[in-house]
């Protein structure tokens, strides 16, 4: 479903058509007798073999393209990307999306330059992944949200939800793995603990039922008979076997670690608890233990020990075995994260298209919780993936590409057709200032193919392939010598690429670009500036946030009321977050504190003058709240999820107080409130939120339609 960069419509994101026929595990999409595309489909049934092959492919790759499909993008209308989002706000919205929605498909496509054929060989892999609970007893929450428009979009392109849920590869993040191993270590650290063997909790199991009493007596006699036969010097092995094995095979003579024992089978859980209690109470030289069985269920045993030291040694051996078994389950549960570890360890150049949300998902799902600030996040990210290229940045920053793509139309599928027509459409022609096209072959399971189809259904593996083809052609246009870099071994070090490495769009709508090397927001002079030119320059110190407004109040009405109070040129713009809240940008920063103070005064008064004041038309008593821009950041950092911004602010704990006292303001003069002071003025309860699509221009929502049409085409 993918990156709409917090936009409302999903159906216009990809211009792909026709549903392919499916053959598992390798899928060929056949749309005509001469056009096909092979891709490696990976689920849990063939994951191990695919992972083994992928290790070699990544080791030999010159770069790796990735793409993700998700269950949603935004969880509330006000969580959409807006022009008025400062870069730290944009990060918080991406963080919220990555934390709340699931990844259901992960595309990985290594590209290797073949110097003999002077072409790239691509190996597209399409991983179905599903966050299954793999470790028994784990308290890890595996819930995630689904956005209906996202699921509808996936269904439109024939996404196989049954295959994903039933056969998707599960995973643990690094932090989840560490937590699970620490939990195992704490359980087995206590040398005297018998709880994992089922001894302590059943030693005093109450025999309240007559059936329990009779069963306990029968078990005591059977166990004693077997034990006595072991100790009787005159008994033969055949006599022991005859005594210890009943006709129904519920008891079976075995040896555990060279010690004689009885294997118990076909007993109910209650009966086993009775047997545990009987063994503990009546037989000091017998030990009831649980060990890993050949099947999925553990094996229950009664084992004979000839001394206290032997008993202690047995308990240690069993404990070590159970610990090893638990650790192996954790290792097995790591699952798809092995692919992420490979991408990180190989230090290859990672290529994505409008991929900041993709990378945030990679961190959140497979590394650990996302840091609270963009600076801390990129610092950690650089250690994992030192070189990332966003092809959307690459295309927008180059004049030839912008001209080829009609300036702002850089959606993945359209860029693929425009930049790589020889691959997408089979048109053998030069493009991009008449430079020769880069040839690409696909290899899947030793089979190579050079037949393509741009109408293949929307899925992560194919999108990763398209992304890699665009990057290869863009590098070719920049004059990069691939053969030279194959010998040198690091394409990311090419001087012609340095201006594009580690620069990603935080938000295509606001044009926020983040430099992953520094964590700083850098100016974007490319296509996004064409979009932002529709709005006046944004000055965050001059912005207030107003919510809890009277219903159906339009932007022009809000502007008119404020103009009566502060002058005709006092307001630069009014922008709706949703139906309950707006941004108001004043022409001067000092008007912010004046408005907040006046609003507070009017909220406390009910005299006729206050009622007749122009601002009373946009205020709704104590239900209308106002704050500086930094309170918006505070609310966006909350994990509470409400559809309306006004409800969200209340749930987070923002109070109606809107400005500091006159005495305090006098000390500060006419300065705009700083962040520390703003936070003191409000109570904070939680941390983070959710998002969905909304947004209005400074007049009303109908004026926004043209703008939305432009931004929807960008992915």
């Amino acid at each position: 479903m993918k990156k709409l960069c917090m936009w409302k419509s999903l159906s216009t994101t990809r211009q792909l058509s026709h549903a392919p026929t499916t053959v598992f595990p390798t899928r060929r999409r056949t749309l005509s007798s001469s056009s096909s595309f092979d891709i490696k489909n990976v689920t849990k049934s063939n994951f191990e073999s695919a992972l083994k092959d992928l290790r070699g492919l990544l080791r030999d790759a010159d770069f790796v393209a990735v793409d993700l499909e998700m269950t949603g993008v935004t969880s509330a209308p006000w969580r959409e990307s807006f022009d008025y989002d400062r870069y730290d706000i944009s990060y918080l919205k991406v963080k919220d999306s990555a934390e709340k929605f699931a990844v259901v498909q992960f595309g990985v496509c290594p590209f290797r330059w073949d110097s003999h054929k002077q072409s790239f060989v691509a190996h597209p892999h399409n991983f179905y992944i599903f966050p299954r609970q793999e470790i028994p007893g784990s308290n890890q929450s595996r819930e995630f949200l689904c956005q209906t428009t996202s699921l509808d979009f996936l269904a439109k392109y024939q996404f196989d939800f049954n295959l994903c849920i039933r056969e998707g590869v599960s995973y643990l993040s690094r932090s989840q793995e560490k937590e699970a191993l620490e939990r195992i270590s704490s359980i087995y650290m206590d040398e005297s603990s018998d709880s994992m063997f089922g001894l302590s909790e059943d030693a005093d199991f109450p025999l309240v039922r007559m059936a329990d009493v009779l069963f306990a007596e029968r078990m005591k006699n059977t166990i004693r008979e077997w034990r006595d036969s072991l100790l009787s010097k005159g008994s033969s092995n055949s006599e022991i076997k005859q005594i210890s094995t009943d006709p129904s095979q519920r008891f079976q003579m075995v040896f555990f670690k060279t010690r004689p024992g009885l294997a118990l089978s076909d007993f109910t859980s209650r009966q086993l608890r009775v047997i545990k209690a009987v063994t503990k109470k009546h037989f000091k030289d017998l030990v009831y233990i649980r060990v890993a069985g050949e099947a999925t269920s553990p094996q229950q045993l009664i084992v004979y020990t000839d001394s206290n030291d032997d008993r202690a040694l047995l308990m240690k051996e069993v404990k070590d075995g159970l610990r090893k078994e638990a650790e192996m389950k954790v290792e097995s549960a790591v699952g798809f994260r092995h692919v992420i570890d490979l991408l990180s360890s190989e230090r290859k150049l990672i290529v994505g298209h409008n991929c900041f949300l993709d990378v945030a998902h990679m961190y959140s799902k497979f590394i650990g919780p996302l840091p609270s600030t963009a600076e801390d996040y990129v610092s950690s990210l650089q250690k994992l993936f030192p070189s990332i290229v966003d092809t959307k940045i690459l295309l927008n920053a180059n004049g030839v590409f912008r001209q080829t793509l009609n300036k702002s139309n850089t959606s993945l599928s359209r860029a693929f057709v425009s930049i790589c027509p020889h691959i997408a459409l089979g048109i053998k022609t030069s493009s991009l200032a008449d430079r020769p096209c880069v040839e690409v072959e696909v290899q899947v399971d030793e089979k190579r193919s050079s037949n393509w189809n741009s109408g293949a259904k929307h899925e992560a593996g194919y999108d990763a392939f398209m992304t890699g083809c665009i990057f290869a052609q863009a590098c070719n246009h920049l004059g990069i010598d691939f053969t030279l870099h194959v010998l040198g071994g690091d394409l990311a070090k090419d001087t012609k690429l340095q201006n594009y490495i580690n620069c990603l769009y935080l938000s295509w709508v606001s044009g926020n670009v983040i430099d992953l090397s520094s964590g700083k927001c850098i100016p974007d002079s490319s296509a996004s500036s064409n979009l932002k030119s529709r709005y006046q320059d944004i000055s965050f110190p001059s912005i207030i946030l107003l919510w809890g407004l009277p219903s159906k109040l339009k932007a022009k009405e809000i502007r008119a009321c404020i103009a009566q109070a502060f002058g005709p040129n006092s307001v630069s713009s009014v922008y709706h977050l949703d139906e309950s809240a707006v941004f108001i940008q004043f022409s001067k920063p000092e008007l912010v504190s004046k408005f907040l103070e006046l609003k507070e005064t009017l909220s406390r008064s009910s005299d006729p003058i206050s009622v007749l004041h122009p601002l009373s038309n946009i205020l709704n008593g104590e239900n209308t709240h106002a704050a500086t821009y930094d309170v918006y950041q505070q609310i966006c950092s909350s994990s509470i999820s409400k559809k309306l911004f006004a409800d969200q602010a209340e749930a987070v704990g923002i109070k109606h107080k809107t400005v500091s006292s006159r005495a305090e303001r006098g000390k500060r003069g006419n300065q705009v409130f700083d962040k520390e002071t703003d936070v003191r003025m409000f109570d904070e309860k939680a941390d983070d939120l959710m998002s969905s699509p909304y947004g209005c221009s400074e007049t009303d929502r109908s004026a926004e339609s043209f703008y939305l049409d432009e931004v929807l085409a960008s992915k």
Side-chain angles (χ1 to χ4, degrees), residues 394-395 397-404 419 431-438 469-482 496-497 500:
L394 189 60
L395 297 179
N398 187 284
V400 175
F401 291 138
R402 289 204 303 270
Q403 184 177 4
T404 302
I419 303 296
S431 60
L432 301 177
D434 295 323
R435 292 192 65 86
C437 296
V438 178
C469 290
I470 291 171
F471 175 71
Q473 188 62 39
C475 288
N476 179 59
H477 172 72
L478 294 173
I480 294 175
D481 187 339
F482 298 118
K496 299 181 180 67
L497 275 178
Y500 312 109

Side-chain angles (χ1 to χ4, degrees), residues 109-307:
C109 190
F111 280 75
R112 175 179 58 82
W113 179 252
D114 188 331
S115 298
H116 298 290
K117 292 189 175 183
Q118 291 292 293
S119 66
F120 275 104
V121 180
H123 302 267
H125 291 68
N126 195 51
F127 291 88
Y128 283 89
I129 64 176
F130 188 75
R132 201 173 292 104
Q133 189 84 4
E134 295 283 1
I135 305 176
S138 171
N139 59 359
Q140 290 289 341
S141 175
R142 310 297 279 183
E143 296 99 358
F144 59 84
L145 295 181
C146 292
Q147 201 171 357
T148 54
T149 47
S150 301
L151 298 188
D152 182 63
F153 181 82
L154 290 172
K156 177 181 178 181
Y157 291 100
Q158 309 300 312
F159 183 86
D160 194 335
F161 292 98
N162 285 332
L163 181 64
C164 178
I165 296 172
R166 295 174 182 173
E167 295 292 325
V169 183
S170 190
Y171 55 85
L172 288 181
S173 69
R174 291 183 181 179
S175 63
Q176 289 171 335
E177 180 189 17
K178 180 181 178 182
E179 181 182 334
L181 292 175
E182 288 175 349
R183 184 169 60 251
I184 291 171
S185 180
S186 65
I187 290 175
Y188 294 98
M189 187 67 70
D190 185 3
E191 294 293 335
S192 62
S193 174
D194 288 335
S195 61
M196 69 284 297
F197 310 119
L199 295 177
S200 59
E201 68 270 25
D202 293 309
D204 299 320
F205 183 70
L207 304 179
V208 296
R209 302 177 183 176
M210 181 58 65
D212 292 339
V213 174
L214 296 176
F215 180 76
E217 190 65 24
R218 188 165 71 253
M219 291 300 101
K220 182 174 66 174
N221 293 335
T222 301
I223 295 171
R224 178 180 289 116
E225 193 174 345
W226 171 75
R227 172 186 170 277
D228 292 345
S229 67
L230 287 175
L231 299 177
S232 175
K233 296 181 180 180
S235 299
S236 64
N237 289 336
S238 60
E239 290 174 328
I240 294 175
K241 183 176 181 180
Q242 182 178 4
I243 293 172
S244 62
T245 306
D246 65 349
S248 62
Q249 295 294 308
R250 302 177 81 186
F251 295 96
Q252 185 175 2
M253 179 73 178
V254 297
F255 282 90
F256 179 78
K257 306 288 186 180
T258 72
R259 301 175 182 87
L262 282 179
L264 310 178
S265 59
D266 295 330
F267 287 101
T268 67
S269 59
R270 185 176 184 85
Q271 288 173 333
L272 288 173
R273 296 184 69 185
V274 173
I275 295 173
K276 293 178 190 178
V278 168
T279 304
K280 177 73 173 179
K281 183 176 181 180
H282 298 286
F283 303 98
K284 302 303 180 184
D285 52 0
L286 299 181
V287 181
Y288 189 104
I289 62 174
R290 178 184 63 83
V291 297
E294 295 181 359
T296 56
S297 59
Q299 177 67 60
Q300 314 287 335
L301 300 174
I302 298 174
V303 180
Y304 174 79
T305 57
D306 56 13
S307 65

Side-chain angles (χ1 to χ4, degrees), residues 403-434:
Q403 184 177 4
T404 302
L405 297 169
N406 297 322
K407 295 184 178 180
S408 64
N409 184 11
T410 53
S411 66
L412 179 59
S413 58
R414 292 183 183 179
F416 181 54
V417 173
S418 299
I419 303 296
C420 308
H422 59 297
I423 299 175
L425 305 174
I427 301 174
K428 300 295 183 180
T429 181
S430 297
S431 60
L432 301 177
D434 295 323

Side-chain angles (χ1 to χ4, degrees), residues 26 80 95 191 219-220 286 307-308 325 343 380 384 402-403 456 521 535 638 698:
T26 300
E80 291 294 324
K95 174 178 180 288
E191 294 293 335
M219 291 300 101
K220 182 174 66 174
L286 299 181
S307 65
N308 289 336
E325 175 193 357
L343 290 173
S380 300
L384 299 166
R402 289 204 303 270
Q403 184 177 4
C521 188
Y535 297 88
S638 170
E698 57 184 64

Side-chain angles (χ1 to χ4, degrees), residues 12-13 24 57 66 175 190 238 302 339 344 355 396-397 406 422 428 558-559 568 598 639 657 706:
T12 60
T13 303
F24 181 81
L57 297 174
V66 299
S175 63
D190 185 3
S238 60
I302 298 174
V339 175
S344 178
C355 59
N396 286 326
N406 297 322
H422 59 297
K428 300 295 183 180
I558 297 173
R559 178 196 286 270
L598 179 58
S639 60
K657 186 177 180 182
F706 173 75

